[in-house]
Amino acid sequence: MKLAVIYYSATGHGTTMAHRIAKAAENVGAEVRVRHIAETADPSTFADNPAWKANYEATKNLPEATGDDIVWADAIIFGSPTRFGATSAQFQSFVDSLGGLWAEGKLADKVYAGFTSSKSAHGGQETTLINLYTSLMHFGGVIVPPGYTSELKFSDGNPYGVSHVTGPDNTDELTSDTEAALEHLATRVVETARKLAG
Ligand SMILES: Cc1cc2nc3c(=O)[nH]c(=O)nc-3n(C[C@H](O)[C@H](O)[C@H](O)COP(=O)(O)O)c2cc1C
């Protein structure tokens, strides 16, 4: 079972979430690719934002997400920060690059789910995930939301995916509830993809 975790992150929260998902998926036997979506903003525009700069420097030489990572995978978990209640431009630009693969039907019949983060509680997290899932419907993807399929979902409280609140200074670390929800999503996606593969 192959899982691709494909995400955009400016200030690093998405990077942390992606790796948490990857570890949980590996723990249930999946082969995992973590791929960041390339930064399109000019680095000079975030030179005075230490977290953005640090995440950019830490990931810029790692392999970038391509459409082939989706073709390779049986299941894909996407991540984007919430930007005005929707996915970021960088994330959407990646989605827009997938037209050729979509036309060939190569994005269909795979298992998909998503995660996000925002500074404020709620803050557009659910609309970001719904926004992301709209594209996945166009792919013909099999969207596997977590719902309330585990008791722990009543603690993190997001049946649409997993979301982290980064706080007013954008520095809050993952809570144990969110970590548990990320692990639950990874496991559920891998196990559902296994069932579909028969
Ligand atoms: C242009 C822009 C728009 C944003 N819009 C929202 C928003 O609608 N709601 C919110 O709570 N936070 C918003 N934020 C804060 C980001 O969602 C937050 O910094 C994000 O969780 C960071 O994720 P990352 O570290 O993976 O980049 C916005 C940030 C930027 C730069």
Side-chain angles (χ1 to χ4, degrees):
M1 188 53 52
K2 295 173 186 157
L3 172 72
V5 185
I6 296 179
Y7 73 99
Y8 170 75
S9 176
T11 52
H13 295 286
T15 304
T16 303
M17 295 172 89
H19 286 282
R20 194 88 200 184
I21 287 170
K23 196 171 164 207
E26 281 167 359
N27 285 344
V28 291
E31 187 183 345
V32 183
R33 277 188 192 176
V34 178
R35 296 289 185 267
H36 71 285
I37 291 170
E39 183 57 79
T40 56
D42 189 308
S44 66
T45 63
F46 53 83
D48 58 355
N49 183 325
W52 197 334
K53 205 173 156 194
N55 183 59
Y56 174 73
E57 292 297 331
T59 57
K60 70 178 183 187
N61 294 323
L62 299 175
E64 291 170 4
T66 69
D68 286 342
D69 295 313
I70 301 176
V71 176
W72 168 84
D74 303 297
I76 300 92
I77 301 181
F78 282 122
S80 169
T82 290
R83 296 264 171 97
F84 304 122
T87 53
S88 70
Q90 292 87 342
F91 182 88
Q92 208 53 41
S93 174
F94 174 75
V95 171
D96 288 359
S97 76
L98 300 173
L101 293 174
W102 167 82
E104 294 174 57
K106 291 190 171 167
L107 308 177
D109 305 332
K110 294 169 184 287
V111 169
Y112 292 94
F115 66 90
T116 188
S117 64
S118 68
K119 270 190 170 184
S120 53
H122 314 297
Q125 295 181 334
E126 293 183 355
T127 51
T128 299
L129 291 169
I130 299 265
N131 183 276
L132 162 59
Y133 291 170
T134 301
S135 297
L136 304 182
M137 289 181 213
H138 286 249
F139 291 3
V142 180
I143 301 169
V144 177
Y148 293 93
T149 54
S150 162
E151 271 302 308
L152 64 86
K153 291 304 298 180
F154 291 95
S155 298
D156 86 285
N158 189 341
Y160 300 87
V162 180
S163 49
H164 169 49
V165 179
T166 66
D169 299 325
N170 198 40
T171 52
D172 290 2
E173 295 186 356
L174 296 179
T175 65
S176 56
D177 284 343
T178 307
E179 287 178 339
L182 289 167
E183 286 165 21
H184 170 261
L185 184 71
T187 305
R188 178 168 162 76
V189 162
V190 170
E191 287 177 352
T192 303
R194 278 202 183 111
K195 280 184 199 161
L196 283 178

